[in-house]
DNA sequence: AATCCGGGGAG
DNA sequence: CTCCCAGGATT
């Protein structure tokens, strides 16, 4: 049996029942594919259901506010996906008459849709014979064919895309694409795959040469940068001071608090830190440490300290993004995970 | 070519 | 801890 037929055979016997596999509606497939970028199925599934419920079609998505989209996205990470979806939904309304495109050449031009996602949506919605190459496909092909070109190098990317498209099962592109990804996710797993029961083990290069653990090859990760976020919690009656994060850094258009970032762990008993705080807020400041949280992202480790601030006079001319928000409405704003967790722990009762 | 962009789960 | 997940955009 051929490589392709083995994969499809395995898929028919072992596939999971996932909601986006019951449709060829390009809009619904697009929802699932964007949500699943760099995201496990188990983590993305509740978000997929939530988005489809709130936005049954692309028109509903396009007419929502960006803030509502980000609020629904809260906790999933890589928030540019949500912002790009919102922009793309509006382009589909204006440039495609509200009909979500199904052709690769149309899809690839849309925000947030790259080579993988354009291949996925086009093959699943219209059967276009474009091979998907995601983390699963890289791994399956690297092992089965014994390819040691780094998968995250330009040369590797080209090599794997070329091979994947040569292998494409043109009689049923959607079925084949689903099959190879599911096989990578469940059988040819990153760690300790069950090679002894694999239907392809007789012809798998890595298995026969004891290279399963070495493949695929990936080149070096940059070291994580440490950052120190010092948040100041300012309340006034039933209101709290929040800040909308701007472009050029993480969590764009999500909300946090007045922030002083320092280059190293600040000693808040030190007069110089006190002066920095005083300069930031105005005069006559007093603050006490509430809590600390270490927040780990892909390229940075953020040391987050929360302080309660008293006796403050703000210089709003320097802090235009600051706004007072009533505690009862705070939960409507999209927040980074570390902010949301802090509020859950310290303000839940006051937010009702 | 390298770096940025989140958060979670497995080992 | 480390690795990686149905990747894409930016520099």
């Amino acid at each position: 049996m051929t490589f392709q037929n083995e994969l499809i055979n395995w898929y028919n016997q072992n596939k999971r029942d996932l909601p986006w596999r019951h449709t060829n509606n390009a809009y619904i497939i697009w929802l699932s594919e964007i949500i699943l970028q760099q995201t496990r199925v188990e983590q993305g599934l509740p978000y997929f259901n939530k988005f489809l419920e709130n936005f049954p079609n692309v028109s509903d998505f396009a007419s929502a506010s960006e803030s509502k989209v980000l609020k629904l996205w809260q906790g999933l990470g890589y928030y540019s996906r949500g912002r790009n979806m919102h922009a793309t939904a509006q382009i589909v309304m204006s440039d495609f008459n509200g009909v979500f495109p199904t052709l690769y050449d149309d899809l690839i031009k849309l925000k947030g849709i790259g080579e993988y996602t354009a291949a996925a949506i086009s093959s699943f919605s219209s059967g276009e014979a474009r091979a998907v190459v995601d983390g699963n496909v890289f791994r399956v092909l690297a092992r089965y064919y014994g390819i040691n070109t780094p998968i995250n190098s330009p040369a590797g990317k080209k090599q794997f895309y070329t091979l994947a498209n040569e292998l494409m099962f043109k009689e049923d592109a959607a079925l084949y694409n689903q099959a190879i990804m599911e096989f990578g996710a469940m059988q040819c797993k990153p760690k300790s795959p069950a090679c002894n029961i694999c239907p392809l083990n007789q012809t798998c290069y890595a298995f026969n040469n004891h290279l399963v653990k070495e493949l695929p090859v990936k080149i070096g990760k940059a070291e994580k940068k440490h950052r120190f976020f010092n948040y100041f919690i300012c309340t006034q009656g039933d209101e709290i001071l929040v800040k909308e994060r701007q472009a050029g850094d993480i969590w764009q258009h999500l909300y946090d608090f007045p922030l002083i970032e320092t280059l190293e762990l600040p000693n808040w008993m030190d007069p110089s830190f006190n002066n920095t705080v005083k300069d930031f807020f105005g005069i006559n400041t007093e603050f006490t440490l509430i809590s600390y949280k270490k927040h780990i992202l892909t390229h940075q480790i953020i040391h987050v300290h929360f302080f309660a601030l008293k006796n403050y006079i703000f210089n709003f001319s320097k802090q235009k993004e600051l706004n007072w928000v009533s505690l009862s409405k705070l939960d409507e704003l999209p927040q980074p995970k570390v902010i949301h967790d802090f509020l859950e722990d310290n303000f839940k009762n006051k937010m009702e």
Side-chain angles (χ1 to χ4, degrees):
Chain A
M1 216 187 309
T2 64
F3 174 74
Q4 293 87 336
N5 280 319
E6 287 283 12
L7 287 178
I8 290 168
N9 195 32
W10 177 93
Y11 177 71
N12 285 330
Q13 295 175 28
N14 297 283
K15 66 182 173 188
R16 291 168 287 185
D17 182 21
L18 300 173
W20 45 84
R21 289 183 178 152
H22 297 308
T23 182
N24 59 359
N25 180 319
Y27 166 71
I28 296 175
I29 293 167
W30 168 70
L31 276 182
S32 72
E33 289 301 336
I34 304 295
I35 287 171
L36 291 173
Q37 287 170 0
Q38 293 294 289
T39 304
R40 292 170 199 284
V41 166
E42 311 85 74
Q43 188 188 1
L45 192 48
Y47 285 85
F48 170 80
N49 291 328
K50 193 163 59 171
F51 269 86
L52 192 53
E53 195 172 317
N54 278 271
F55 309 131
N57 56 57
V58 66
S59 170
D60 298 324
F61 203 124
S63 56
S65 68
E66 185 192 81
S67 185
K68 179 174 182 186
V69 172
L70 289 176
K71 187 63 194 178
L72 288 169
W73 201 273
Q74 178 175 293
L76 193 56
Y78 285 159
Y79 297 92
S80 67
R81 291 184 289 173
R83 287 186 276 110
N84 285 335
M85 284 185 100
H86 190 234
T88 285
Q90 295 181 338
I91 296 288
V92 170
M93 294 310 292
S94 60
D95 294 8
F96 293 89
N97 273 325
V99 180
F100 210 95
T102 64
L103 298 178
Y104 183 95
D105 288 337
D106 290 330
L107 292 161
I108 194 70
K109 296 174 187 160
L110 297 171
K111 279 192 173 179
I113 298 182
E115 278 182 272
Y116 162 76
T117 306
I121 299 175
S122 62
S123 67
F124 299 155
S125 64
S126 73
E128 192 172 337
R130 296 275 187 168
V132 293
V133 183
D134 71 334
N136 296 307
V137 176
F138 275 120
R139 186 170 53 255
V140 171
L141 297 183
R143 286 177 176 164
Y144 187 78
Y145 290 97
I147 303 168
N148 62 3
T149 315
I151 61 173
N152 55 347
S153 68
K157 200 178 166 192
K158 192 179 172 191
Q159 185 178 0
F160 281 94
Y161 263 91
T162 301
L163 176 57
N165 278 298
E166 285 169 4
L167 293 168
M168 167 50 73
F169 183 71
K170 295 196 173 112
E171 291 78 358
D172 195 335
L175 178 63
Y176 173 71
N177 276 341
Q178 292 281 5
I180 190 169
M181 287 195 288
E182 187 79 336
F183 180 80
M186 300 186 65
Q187 167 61 38
C188 195
K189 297 182 293 182
K191 287 172 188 170
S192 54
C195 296
N196 54 323
I197 61 164
C198 178
L200 286 165
N201 59 11
Q202 294 300 312
T203 46
C204 174
Y205 184 93
F207 179 69
N208 290 308
N209 293 278
H210 306 286
L211 289 171
V212 174
K213 267 183 72 180
E214 324 302 325
L215 296 172
V217 174
K218 210 166 177 178
I219 46 180
K221 14 117 196 133
E223 200 157 320
K224 284 190 166 91
K225 187 165 70 175
H226 285 261
R227 298 176 71 180
F228 301 87
F229 281 14
N230 306 284
Y231 282 122
F232 292 86
I233 309 304
C234 316
T235 54
Q236 200 172 72
D238 68 337
E239 293 186 318
I240 187 166
L241 199 57
V242 301
K243 183 166 66 62
E244 181 180 0
R245 293 187 62 84
Q246 306 299 305
D249 201 352
I250 57 174
W251 303 329
Q252 187 178 332
H253 294 183
L254 274 66
Y255 289 80
D256 59 1
F257 304 117
L259 166 64
I260 296 177
E261 180 172 2
T262 51
L263 293 176
E264 49 190 30
L265 185 66
N267 179 356
W268 34 94
M269 310 310 285
D270 191 324
S272 73
F273 184 68
N274 210 308
N275 284 333
T276 306
V277 177
K278 200 174 286 187
D279 186 53
F280 184 85
F281 286 105
I283 57 171
N284 232 7
T285 57
E286 261 179 62
F287 52 90
T288 54
L289 180 64
I290 303 173
S291 69
Y292 166 77
K293 199 82 181 171
K294 184 174 171 181
H295 193 65
I296 300 173
L297 306 182
T298 305
H299 288 87
Q300 42 191 306
I301 298 173
I302 307 179
H303 303 269
V304 186
H305 287 90
F306 293 95
F307 298 95
L309 193 70
K310 301 172 183 176
N311 304 326
Y312 33 87
I313 298 173
F314 298 104
N315 184 349
F316 276 92
S317 66
K318 284 185 181 177
Q319 301 290 326
K320 287 195 192 308
E321 330 70 84
L322 292 178
N323 273 303
W324 290 104
V325 172
S326 110
L327 285 170
S328 60
K329 294 195 170 176
L330 186 54
D331 199 43
E332 297 172 14
L333 300 176
Q335 302 142 7
K337 176 78 162 68
V338 67
I339 300 297
H340 190 253
D341 286 351
F342 171 81
L343 290 169
E344 286 277 302
D345 292 346
N346 297 277
F347 282 86
K348 190 165 177 67
N349 51 345
K350 298 174 190 171
M351 291 163 59
E352 297 179 341

